């Protein structure tokens, strides 16, 4: 169990990484704003820069991000109006050395993937605890409620263990911002993230899963320093 001190240092790492990436934002940009506690620091820092005259537009990935951006007075737009954001910033649940990530701990991965895939540059911000040699967290799979039993069966056939995510402060399953269910699919260590991504995409009724294969840059904070790791660009 984490001590108070480690919890505090984890929060400081998230803040350092999130605020570092806010420095990438400059006048005239359209910026994808991710979901979660790490990128929240980016959104707050961007809001501060806006109050000092920065001229940008944000595109949010969830109701949570939208509420925070509005609170921080970040002007918002949509993908319909600005289909190719200059930059997208987001957190992750795990990220490996090849900059392949698992996202969706907050059930926002579908919109996050749409925004990240639309953007010219996708940056993940993270505390050091998110870095792993091999992805092994359960993969969040957003699925149409009509199809969840089929999806569970197919996940088992792929060697996974599916758990329908349950809500807190509401009886029954989590309902995403898109009105769907989330299955957390535990495959243990994932040897082939690309292959698993393809297999999950092929399940009828699956809207989107949380394996992210294309991350351009990781901003990770550890021991009071911020490290920036850039994708090798060989895939
Ligand atoms: C939202 O569904 C997730 O993809 C988040 O981006 C991810 O869980 C990171 O969250 P934290 O920054 O709160 O760890």
């Amino acid at each position: 169990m984490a001590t108070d001190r480690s919890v505090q240092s984890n929060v400081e790492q998230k803040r350092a990484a999130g605020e570092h990436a806010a420095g990438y934002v400059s006048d005239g940009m359209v910026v994808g704003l991710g979901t979660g506690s790490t990128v929240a620091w980016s959104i707050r820092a961007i809001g501060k820069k806006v109050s000092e005259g920065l001229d940008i537009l944000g595109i949010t990935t969830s109701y949570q991000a939208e509420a925070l951006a509005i609170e921080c007075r970040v002007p918002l737009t949509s993908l319909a109006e600005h289909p190719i954001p200059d930059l997208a910033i987001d957190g992750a649940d795990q990220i490996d050395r090849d900059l392949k990530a698992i996202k969706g701990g907050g059930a926002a991965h579908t919109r996050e993937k749409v925004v990240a895939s639309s953007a010219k540059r996708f940056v993940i911000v993270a505390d050091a605890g998110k870095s792993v040699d091999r992805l092994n967290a359960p993969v969040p799979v957003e699925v149409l409620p009509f199809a969840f039993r089929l999806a569970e069966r197919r996940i088992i056939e792929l060697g996974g263990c599916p758990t329908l995510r349950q809500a807190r402060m509401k009886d029954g399953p989590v309902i995403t911002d898109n009105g769907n269910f989330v299955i957390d699919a535990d495959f243990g260590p994932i040897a082939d993230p690309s292959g698993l991504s393809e297999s999950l995409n092929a399940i009828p009724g699956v809207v989107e899963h949380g394996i992210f294969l294309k991350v351009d840059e990781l901003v990770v904070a550890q021991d009071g320093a911020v490290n920036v790791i850039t994708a090798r660009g060989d895939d």
Side-chain angles (χ1 to χ4, degrees), residues 177-198:
D177 290 2
N178 311 308
N180 298 313
F181 290 175
V182 174
I183 296 171
D184 290 303
D186 192 349
F187 293 92
I190 299 171
D192 178 12
S194 306
L196 182 57
S197 166
E198 218 171 291

Side-chain angles (χ1 to χ4, degrees), residues 14 35-39 90-93 103-109 112 130:
K14 289 180 180 212
T35 301
S37 57
T38 315
V39 73
D90 208 337
D93 300 309
K103 292 179 49 53
H109 56 279
E112 290 176 330
K130 302 292 178 55

Side-chain angles (χ1 to χ4, degrees), residues 76-234:
L76 297 178
T77 183
S78 65
L79 279 181
E81 289 168 288
H82 293 92
I84 308 178
D86 299 283
L87 170 69
I89 308 171
D90 208 337
D93 300 309
Q94 277 192 339
I95 184 155
D96 71 12
R97 289 159 191 249
D98 297 327
L99 301 196
K100 300 197 180 344
I102 291 179
K103 292 179 49 53
H109 56 279
T110 296
R111 292 190 192 195
E112 290 176 330
K113 195 179 282 189
V114 171
V115 171
S117 302
S118 301
K120 291 178 191 163
R121 178 181 171 204
F122 178 41
V123 175
I124 280 192
V125 289
D127 57 280
K130 302 292 178 55
S131 293
V132 291
D133 288 337
R134 181 176 284 194
L135 299 176
N136 60 16
V139 179
V141 180
E142 180 164 355
V143 61
L144 297 178
F146 184 71
F148 89 96
R149 287 295 184 199
L150 172 64
E152 284 179 333
R153 211 164 69 231
R154 292 289 173 89
I155 286 165
I156 291 169
E157 286 166 9
L158 290 170
C161 177
T163 303
L164 185 64
R165 193 180 297 183
Q166 298 297 316
R168 277 188 263 166
M169 309 296 285
K170 166 196 173 285
D171 293 332
V174 162
I175 307 293
T176 70
D177 290 2
N178 311 308
N180 298 313
F181 290 175
V182 174
I183 296 171
D184 290 303
D186 192 349
F187 293 92
I190 299 171
D192 178 12
S194 306
L196 182 57
S197 166
E198 218 171 291
S199 300
L200 291 172
N201 281 335
I203 300 173
V206 164
V207 177
E208 193 52 77
H209 61 74
I211 299 175
F212 281 54
L213 297 172
K214 197 183 168 310
V215 177
D216 296 308
E217 195 173 309
L218 168 65
V219 177
V220 60
Q222 186 170 24
D223 299 334
V226 171
N227 295 317
V228 177
I229 299 159
T230 307
R232 289 196 305 267
D234 55 358

Side-chain angles (χ1 to χ4, degrees), residues 62-82:
S62 64
Y63 292 130
Q64 185 221 39
E66 182 184 68
L68 182 61
I70 290 169
E71 184 187 319
C72 296
R73 299 180 189 276
V74 177
L76 297 178
T77 183
S78 65
L79 279 181
E81 289 168 288
H82 293 92

